[in-house]
Amino acid sequence: PSHALTPNVTDNLVSLDVTGCGLRALPIEVGACRQLQSLNASNNSLASLPTALLSCQLTTLHASNNKMACHFLAEDFSSLAVRGSPLASSLKDLDLRRNTLDSVPAWVFELSESLHSLALGGNAIKRVGRAAHERWGSLSGLGFIDLSNCRLEDLGNLPVAAAQSLKLLRSLDLSNNDLRQIPPELGLVETLNALQLNGNPQKTVRMAILSQGTPAILSYLKNRLPEGYRLPSQEPPQLQQQHQQQHQQQHQQQ
């Protein structure tokens, strides 16, 4: 409760766990907790996160099992608000599993390369890597991505971005989705030691190979690429189209 966050508490609080407290909102006094490093607000009824959190230098933010949707989050946690904030430069572990997100929140891509773990499993994210704001390559510190149980149908430019820029990525969980094809570019993400694809209707990688584990899966996918293959631009298709139109206009003007 907000009345418990007295100045004496906010000045010294390092870790706050309000799991399962039936909260509909976090108290704005949380923003006054300048020493706060870890916040666990899982298993509540939160629809959004307060802008006051942007003033905190959190390293861990867990808010799974809530009612957060992208349109609610965008009202307070806009890309512009997150960009350059103390939170953006400090956050290492973000858990938004089992909310009602239908896409990866735009502000996530304003977080710095300090972000190591991104857990979004159990949402309703059907597509990633297609929107112009999805700059996966900017999250170069990511070591763990959970997109399991999301009804995911399309990986967009994520495999290319991962192969080019996510040099610390160790675990990518794509299990229990609606992926019908697995992009062979994933085979170029050589840092992966855990690639989970089970529970998808895909027929790209046969069960016999899946059962052999991640090294066998990566090798199989890599061998499906044409000889001499070079990675394309990791720009989202929407941004690529904009740039193509700009080039065409410039050519016509000439």
Side-chain angles (χ1 to χ4, degrees), residues 70-97:
C70 286
H71 63 282
F72 287 129
L73 279 171
E75 294 177 6
D76 296 321
F77 263 53
S78 66
S79 295
L80 185 60
V82 174
R83 188 179 306 153
S85 67
L87 180 70
S89 60
S90 64
L91 196 60
K92 295 181 179 180
D93 179 5
L94 177 61
D95 184 355
L96 296 176
R97 290 176 296 169

Short mmCIF file of all heavy atoms in Angstrom, two decimals, residues 70-97:
data_model
loop_
_atom_site.label_atom_id
_atom_site.label_comp_id
_atom_site.label_asym_id
_atom_site.label_seq_id
_atom_site.Cartn_x
_atom_site.Cartn_y
_atom_site.Cartn_z
N CYS A 70 -0.51 -3.53 -24.78
CA CYS A 70 0.39 -2.55 -25.40
C CYS A 70 -0.19 -1.14 -25.40
O CYS A 70 0.51 -0.16 -25.15
CB CYS A 70 0.72 -2.98 -26.82
SG CYS A 70 1.87 -4.37 -26.87
N HIS A 71 -1.51 -1.01 -25.66
CA HIS A 71 -2.09 0.34 -25.75
C HIS A 71 -2.13 1.03 -24.40
O HIS A 71 -2.05 2.25 -24.31
CB HIS A 71 -3.47 0.29 -26.39
CG HIS A 71 -4.50 -0.48 -25.63
ND1 HIS A 71 -4.55 -1.85 -25.65
CD2 HIS A 71 -5.52 -0.07 -24.83
CE1 HIS A 71 -5.56 -2.27 -24.91
NE2 HIS A 71 -6.16 -1.22 -24.39
N PHE A 72 -2.26 0.24 -23.32
CA PHE A 72 -2.21 0.84 -21.98
C PHE A 72 -0.77 1.25 -21.64
O PHE A 72 -0.52 2.34 -21.12
CB PHE A 72 -2.73 -0.12 -20.93
CG PHE A 72 -4.21 -0.31 -20.95
CD1 PHE A 72 -4.77 -1.58 -20.99
CD2 PHE A 72 -5.06 0.79 -20.95
CE1 PHE A 72 -6.15 -1.74 -21.02
CE2 PHE A 72 -6.44 0.63 -20.98
CZ PHE A 72 -6.99 -0.64 -21.02
N LEU A 73 0.17 0.37 -21.93
CA LEU A 73 1.57 0.65 -21.62
C LEU A 73 2.07 1.88 -22.38
O LEU A 73 2.83 2.67 -21.85
CB LEU A 73 2.43 -0.56 -21.98
CG LEU A 73 2.48 -1.70 -20.95
CD1 LEU A 73 3.19 -2.90 -21.52
CD2 LEU A 73 3.18 -1.24 -19.68
N ALA A 74 1.61 2.04 -23.63
CA ALA A 74 2.10 3.15 -24.46
C ALA A 74 1.71 4.51 -23.90
O ALA A 74 2.36 5.52 -24.18
CB ALA A 74 1.56 2.99 -25.88
N GLU A 75 0.61 4.54 -23.12
CA GLU A 75 0.17 5.83 -22.56
C GLU A 75 1.18 6.37 -21.54
O GLU A 75 1.41 7.58 -21.46
CB GLU A 75 -1.20 5.65 -21.90
CG GLU A 75 -2.32 5.33 -22.88
CD GLU A 75 -3.64 5.09 -22.17
OE1 GLU A 75 -3.68 5.28 -20.95
OE2 GLU A 75 -4.62 4.69 -22.84
N ASP A 76 1.77 5.49 -20.77
CA ASP A 76 2.73 5.91 -19.74
C ASP A 76 4.17 5.60 -20.15
O ASP A 76 5.05 6.44 -20.06
CB ASP A 76 2.41 5.22 -18.41
CG ASP A 76 1.06 5.65 -17.86
OD1 ASP A 76 0.74 6.83 -17.98
OD2 ASP A 76 0.35 4.79 -17.31
N PHE A 77 4.38 4.38 -20.61
CA PHE A 77 5.72 3.95 -21.02
C PHE A 77 5.87 4.12 -22.52
O PHE A 77 5.99 3.16 -23.27
CB PHE A 77 5.93 2.48 -20.61
CG PHE A 77 6.67 2.29 -19.32
CD1 PHE A 77 6.25 2.94 -18.17
CD2 PHE A 77 7.79 1.49 -19.26
CE1 PHE A 77 6.91 2.76 -16.97
CE2 PHE A 77 8.47 1.31 -18.06
CZ PHE A 77 8.03 1.95 -16.91
N SER A 78 5.88 5.33 -22.98
CA SER A 78 6.08 5.59 -24.41
C SER A 78 7.56 5.48 -24.74
O SER A 78 8.42 5.59 -23.85
CB SER A 78 5.57 6.98 -24.79
OG SER A 78 6.36 7.98 -24.17
N SER A 79 7.87 5.28 -26.01
CA SER A 79 9.27 5.19 -26.42
C SER A 79 10.02 6.46 -26.05
O SER A 79 11.16 6.42 -25.58
CB SER A 79 9.36 4.95 -27.93
OG SER A 79 8.81 3.70 -28.26
N LEU A 80 9.36 7.59 -26.24
CA LEU A 80 10.00 8.88 -25.96
C LEU A 80 10.30 9.03 -24.48
O LEU A 80 11.35 9.53 -24.09
CB LEU A 80 9.11 10.02 -26.44
CG LEU A 80 9.69 11.44 -26.32
CD1 LEU A 80 10.97 11.54 -27.15
CD2 LEU A 80 8.68 12.48 -26.78
N ALA A 81 9.36 8.55 -23.63
CA ALA A 81 9.55 8.67 -22.19
C ALA A 81 10.67 7.76 -21.69
O ALA A 81 11.46 8.14 -20.81
CB ALA A 81 8.25 8.34 -21.46
N VAL A 82 10.75 6.57 -22.26
CA VAL A 82 11.75 5.60 -21.81
C VAL A 82 13.15 5.98 -22.29
O VAL A 82 14.14 5.81 -21.57
CB VAL A 82 11.38 4.18 -22.31
CG1 VAL A 82 12.49 3.18 -21.98
CG2 VAL A 82 10.06 3.73 -21.68
N ARG A 83 13.22 6.53 -23.50
CA ARG A 83 14.51 6.84 -24.11
C ARG A 83 15.35 7.77 -23.22
O ARG A 83 14.91 8.84 -22.82
CB ARG A 83 14.29 7.49 -25.47
CG ARG A 83 15.55 7.70 -26.30
CD ARG A 83 15.16 8.32 -27.63
NE ARG A 83 14.13 7.52 -28.30
CZ ARG A 83 13.26 8.01 -29.16
NH1 ARG A 83 13.25 9.30 -29.44
NH2 ARG A 83 12.36 7.21 -29.73
N GLY A 84 16.54 7.32 -22.86
CA GLY A 84 17.44 8.14 -22.07
C GLY A 84 17.14 8.19 -20.58
O GLY A 84 17.83 8.89 -19.84
N SER A 85 16.14 7.45 -20.14
CA SER A 85 15.78 7.45 -18.72
C SER A 85 16.77 6.60 -17.92
O SER A 85 17.46 5.74 -18.47
CB SER A 85 14.36 6.90 -18.53
OG SER A 85 14.32 5.52 -18.87
N PRO A 86 16.83 6.79 -16.59
CA PRO A 86 17.68 5.94 -15.75
C PRO A 86 17.33 4.45 -15.90
O PRO A 86 18.24 3.61 -15.94
CB PRO A 86 17.38 6.44 -14.33
CG PRO A 86 17.02 7.89 -14.52
CD PRO A 86 16.25 7.93 -15.81
N LEU A 87 16.05 4.14 -16.01
CA LEU A 87 15.63 2.74 -16.16
C LEU A 87 16.18 2.14 -17.45
O LEU A 87 16.61 0.99 -17.48
CB LEU A 87 14.10 2.65 -16.16
CG LEU A 87 13.52 1.24 -16.30
CD1 LEU A 87 13.78 0.43 -15.03
CD2 LEU A 87 12.03 1.28 -16.59
N ALA A 88 16.16 2.92 -18.54
CA ALA A 88 16.60 2.41 -19.83
C ALA A 88 18.06 1.97 -19.82
O ALA A 88 18.44 1.03 -20.52
CB ALA A 88 16.39 3.47 -20.91
N SER A 89 18.87 2.63 -19.01
CA SER A 89 20.29 2.30 -19.00
C SER A 89 20.67 1.27 -17.94
O SER A 89 21.80 0.76 -17.95
CB SER A 89 21.12 3.57 -18.77
OG SER A 89 20.78 4.17 -17.53
N SER A 90 19.74 0.94 -17.04
CA SER A 90 20.09 0.04 -15.94
C SER A 90 19.45 -1.34 -16.03
O SER A 90 19.98 -2.32 -15.49
CB SER A 90 19.69 0.67 -14.59
OG SER A 90 18.28 0.83 -14.50
N LEU A 91 18.29 -1.46 -16.71
CA LEU A 91 17.51 -2.71 -16.66
C LEU A 91 18.22 -3.87 -17.34
O LEU A 91 18.65 -3.75 -18.49
CB LEU A 91 16.14 -2.48 -17.30
CG LEU A 91 15.08 -3.54 -16.99
CD1 LEU A 91 14.80 -3.63 -15.50
CD2 LEU A 91 13.78 -3.24 -17.75
N LYS A 92 18.33 -4.98 -16.64
CA LYS A 92 18.98 -6.18 -17.16
C LYS A 92 18.01 -7.34 -17.36
O LYS A 92 18.22 -8.17 -18.24
CB LYS A 92 20.10 -6.63 -16.21
CG LYS A 92 21.25 -5.64 -16.08
CD LYS A 92 22.31 -6.18 -15.13
CE LYS A 92 23.48 -5.19 -15.02
NZ LYS A 92 24.53 -5.70 -14.10
N ASP A 93 16.97 -7.39 -16.56
CA ASP A 93 16.07 -8.54 -16.56
C ASP A 93 14.62 -8.05 -16.58
O ASP A 93 14.15 -7.47 -15.60
CB ASP A 93 16.35 -9.39 -15.31
CG ASP A 93 15.43 -10.61 -15.19
OD1 ASP A 93 14.63 -10.86 -16.11
OD2 ASP A 93 15.53 -11.31 -14.16
N LEU A 94 13.92 -8.28 -17.71
CA LEU A 94 12.54 -7.83 -17.86
C LEU A 94 11.64 -9.03 -18.11
O LEU A 94 11.83 -9.78 -19.07
CB LEU A 94 12.42 -6.84 -19.03
CG LEU A 94 11.01 -6.34 -19.36
CD1 LEU A 94 10.40 -5.60 -18.18
CD2 LEU A 94 11.05 -5.44 -20.60
N ASP A 95 10.64 -9.21 -17.25
CA ASP A 95 9.71 -10.33 -17.35
C ASP A 95 8.29 -9.80 -17.46
O ASP A 95 7.74 -9.28 -16.49
CB ASP A 95 9.86 -11.25 -16.13
CG ASP A 95 8.98 -12.50 -16.22
OD1 ASP A 95 8.19 -12.62 -17.18
OD2 ASP A 95 9.10 -13.36 -15.33
N LEU A 96 7.71 -9.93 -18.66
CA LEU A 96 6.32 -9.52 -18.90
C LEU A 96 5.49 -10.71 -19.39
O LEU A 96 4.53 -10.55 -20.15
CB LEU A 96 6.26 -8.39 -19.94
CG LEU A 96 6.94 -7.07 -19.54
CD1 LEU A 96 6.89 -6.09 -20.71
CD2 LEU A 96 6.27 -6.46 -18.32
N ARG A 97 5.84 -11.88 -18.97
CA ARG A 97 5.13 -13.09 -19.39
C ARG A 97 3.68 -13.09 -18.90
O ARG A 97 3.35 -12.50 -17.88
CB ARG A 97 5.83 -14.34 -18.87
CG ARG A 97 7.17 -14.64 -19.54
CD ARG A 97 7.84 -15.83 -18.90
NE ARG A 97 8.16 -15.56 -17.49
CZ ARG A 97 8.56 -16.48 -16.63
NH1 ARG A 97 8.67 -17.73 -17.00
NH2 ARG A 97 8.83 -16.13 -15.38
#
